[in-house]
Amino acid sequence: MEWKYILCSERIRKSGAKQGDLRSAFEKDYHRIIGSASFRRLQDKTQVFPLDKSDFVRTRLAHSLEVSSFGKSLGKSVSKIIVRDKKDKGFSEEYSHDICDILSCGGLIHDIGNPPFGHFGETVIRKWFRDNLPKLEYRGKSLEDILEPQMKEDFYNYEGNAQGLRLVTKLHHVIDEHGMNLTKGLLSSIIKYPVSSLEIDKDSGYKKKSGYFYADRETFNEIDSACKTGGKRNPLVYLLEAADDIAYKTADIEDAYKKGLIDSYILRAELGKKYEGRLKAEGYNGLQRFIVEVQREALEGAAEAFGEKYSKIMAGEFEGNLLDICGSGEILDRLGFIARKYAFSSREIFLMELGGRSILNGLLDSFVPAVIDPKKSDDISFKVYSLISENYKNIYEIYSKDKPENERLYLRLLLAADYISGMTDSFARDLYCRLKGV
């Protein structure tokens, strides 16, 4: 892979530069993202604690801003390493600016496709389709018999990363059906898993999940072709992944501490003899200093690891994790374990997740049957279908035109998933309650 292709500034819909606008294509991406409703909705989407009333605990928006900041820092460090160690003779100073801008933008949208109630929401959606799709029928035939294999696997392996690509390239309707119409270089950087739902390999580093839906295969191919990534991970994905890991594994501990789920005593005990001495002061201020130190070391280590594995990464042969190579992965994994033990396994989280499951199951129970055959729906289904965003229904009409009937059916099922996934936690809860008459 070569940087001149990886940093592709083309857009799916060609748009000419306006006279007097001195921003780079990637700087324009940044402003498109932060001005979008889809990005703003992240302020009411779960990071760890759903529907939390605290002003301190992070939302998905706060997390995305942190990943954006860490990504930009990694971009600067890696660019210096490439030049310092003469890793690439063709690497220019301009590339450094573009890398930082792309990673900054990528951090903002890396979770933009997540459904309500975080990653738990993805699990609920997958299970609902696995349990219910075989029972559903369209004009006397089972949906399982009508849909193509990848169409079914898209729902059985529903993935927020794939939904994110779909959202920014289609669903966020601003001017036309091309969504935010972001640069292909940026879009490539957020495709964490460059495989379809038929190519998932749980034992592979970047094939553990799907990165795009059947409906968006042409979009993926266009991005892959423009950036010349050859079906492999864009090198910037490794940096974005490291930024994400550093952000959430340290932030989850901080949030759990603020919620009173852990304290300095518990943290020292769980860190063990190897790391307990690094928590040098009691209270929240001591925790903050510890977190900042871990973040700094992890950012430096990830950048050096990228330089160490540069040749393999650029050849598409690397499948590891940068943080594991540099050694910071050990303490971050330890922090992740502590968060799972004391925060994710708390009574509060269990109650919220169970409530979220009921909400998402209820919404899927209502909206999926309503989209199967809108023209022949009964009165209730017709009314439910009418609640779906007109924007999403317009996108369905555009992309389903002249498609075979089974693909149109698939796109209608995806329409229901699109609508529900785009909801904030509060909107999903309130709509569910209204549908149930609560």
Side-chain angles (χ1 to χ4, degrees):
M1 287 179 264
E2 300 179 53
W3 288 110
K4 63 181 179 180
Y5 300 119
I6 294 168
L7 305 174
C8 178
S9 61
E10 294 177 5
R11 303 181 189 277
I12 293 174
R13 171 178 45 79
K14 305 297 186 289
S15 57
K18 292 184 178 179
Q19 190 172 5
D21 191 343
L22 302 180
R23 296 174 299 168
S24 73
F26 307 116
E27 289 172 327
K28 292 175 185 175
D29 282 344
Y30 185 88
H31 292 110
R32 291 184 184 201
I33 293 164
I34 62 172
S36 71
S38 301
F39 178 66
R40 291 195 299 274
R41 287 190 191 104
L42 293 174
Q43 68 185 316
D44 189 19
K45 286 205 170 188
T46 295
Q47 176 61 19
V48 175
F49 301 96
L51 302 171
D52 192 88
K53 301 302 181 185
S54 168
D55 291 334
F56 176 88
V57 171
R58 287 166 175 82
T59 63
R60 189 66 63 174
L61 178 64
H63 167 70
S64 298
L65 290 169
E66 289 174 337
V67 176
S68 174
S69 175
F70 289 158
K72 186 173 184 177
S73 295
L74 282 170
K76 286 184 179 180
S77 298
V78 162
S79 297
K80 288 180 181 179
I81 289 169
I82 294 172
V83 174
R84 180 196 72 191
D85 297 342
K86 299 178 181 179
K87 295 286 184 180
D88 193 327
K89 293 180 181 178
F91 191 86
S92 71
E93 185 178 345
E94 183 182 350
Y95 290 164
S96 175
H97 294 304
D98 290 344
I99 287 171
C100 290
D101 287 339
I102 288 177
L103 288 170
S104 182
C105 291
L108 296 180
I109 59 174
H110 79 286
D111 276 347
I112 204 166
N114 279 19
F117 311 110
H119 293 300
F120 182 74
E122 292 173 295
T123 302
V124 174
I125 293 173
R126 290 183 202 122
K127 187 175 189 309
W128 189 94
F129 277 107
R130 287 181 182 274
D131 291 344
N132 292 279
L133 196 65
K135 305 173 188 175
L136 297 171
E137 292 186 351
Y138 175 64
R139 297 180 181 177
K141 293 184 179 180
S142 167
L143 265 57
E144 277 211 323
D145 294 333
I146 298 172
L147 300 177
E148 299 290 335
Q150 188 183 339
M151 295 176 184
K152 291 181 286 189
E153 292 301 320
D154 283 352
F155 296 111
Y156 296 157
N157 296 281
Y158 177 82
E159 175 57 41
N161 286 284
Q163 187 69 35
L165 179 66
R166 178 168 175 75
L167 191 153
V168 297
T169 57
K170 290 188 173 78
L171 301 180
H172 187 84
H173 194 289
V174 179
I175 297 175
D176 56 19
E177 68 275 18
H178 297 303
M180 295 183 190
N181 197 36
L182 302 172
T183 57
K184 294 175 183 176
L186 170 56
L187 294 172
S188 177
S189 77
I190 65 166
I191 302 175
K192 191 173 181 179
Y193 308 103
V195 295
S196 75
S197 56
L198 290 178
E199 302 169 290
I200 294 173
D201 179 358
K202 300 292 186 182
D203 297 323
S204 172
Y206 58 79
K207 297 181 181 179
K208 292 185 289 187
K209 302 176 182 178
S210 63
Y212 62 92
F213 295 130
Y214 178 86
D216 306 308
R217 63 198 185 283
E218 292 175 2
T219 301
F220 170 80
N221 290 334
E222 185 173 347
I223 295 167
D224 186 57
S225 176
C227 297
K228 299 189 185 302
T229 41
K232 305 292 186 180
R233 259 189 179 182
N234 180 321
L236 296 181
V237 174
Y238 290 101
L239 298 175
L240 199 56
E241 181 179 52
D244 187 21
D245 288 348
I246 295 168
Y248 84 79
K249 287 182 178 178
T250 54
D252 289 353
I253 288 293
E254 195 175 1
D255 287 355
Y257 191 100
K258 205 68 177 177
K259 293 282 290 182
L261 299 173
I262 60 172
D263 56 26
S264 300
Y265 175 80
I266 290 174
L267 195 52
R268 280 198 179 91
E270 292 290 354
L271 284 171
K273 292 182 179 179
K274 186 173 183 179
Y275 296 112
E276 62 179 347
R278 298 188 62 177
L279 191 61
K280 297 172 183 175
E282 298 295 329
Y284 178 63
N285 289 337
L287 174 67
Q288 276 192 313
R289 287 195 288 272
F290 167 70
I291 291 296
V292 169
E293 184 180 314
V294 170
Q295 290 172 343
R296 177 184 57 77
E297 291 178 0
L299 288 168
E300 291 174 357
E304 291 292 343
F306 188 93
E308 180 185 333
K309 297 297 181 180
Y310 185 79
S311 297
K312 281 195 169 186
I313 289 171
M314 297 301 286
E317 297 172 355
F318 180 70
E319 292 194 16
N321 183 297
L322 297 178
L323 294 170
D324 289 339
I325 295 172
C326 71
S328 292
E330 185 177 352
I331 189 167
L332 287 170
D333 286 345
R334 191 66 198 166
L335 292 176
F337 167 80
I338 297 169
R340 287 192 300 275
K341 182 175 179 179
Y342 291 94
F344 297 130
S345 299
S346 67
R347 173 184 171 82
E348 179 181 3
I349 290 295
F350 287 162
L351 285 171
M352 289 180 174
E353 287 183 341
L354 291 170
R357 182 189 65 170
S358 296
I359 290 169
L360 288 175
N361 281 335
L363 292 173
L364 288 162
D365 286 342
S366 295
F367 283 97
V368 173
V371 302
I372 291 177
D373 196 354
K375 293 180 180 179
K376 292 190 176 183
S377 293
D378 58 30
D379 185 53
I380 298 299
S381 294
F382 171 79
K383 290 175 181 177
V384 171
Y385 185 79
S386 71
L387 297 176
I388 297 176
S389 163
E390 289 299 323
N391 172 53
Y392 286 1
K393 286 190 282 193
N394 289 338
I395 293 296
Y396 161 74
E397 293 296 341
I398 290 169
Y399 284 102
S400 64
K401 186 178 180 181
D402 300 326
K403 292 290 193 296
E405 191 57 40
N406 69 333
E407 188 167 350
R408 288 175 64 85
L409 171 61
Y410 160 77
L411 290 172
R412 289 197 297 277
L413 293 172
L414 203 52
L415 170 62
D418 289 339
Y419 182 51
I420 294 171
S421 293
M423 296 177 184
T424 63
D425 294 3
S426 295
F427 184 89
R429 176 198 60 196
D430 294 346
L431 180 58
Y432 169 77
C433 289
R434 295 182 73 179
L435 288 172
K436 294 296 182 183
V438 178

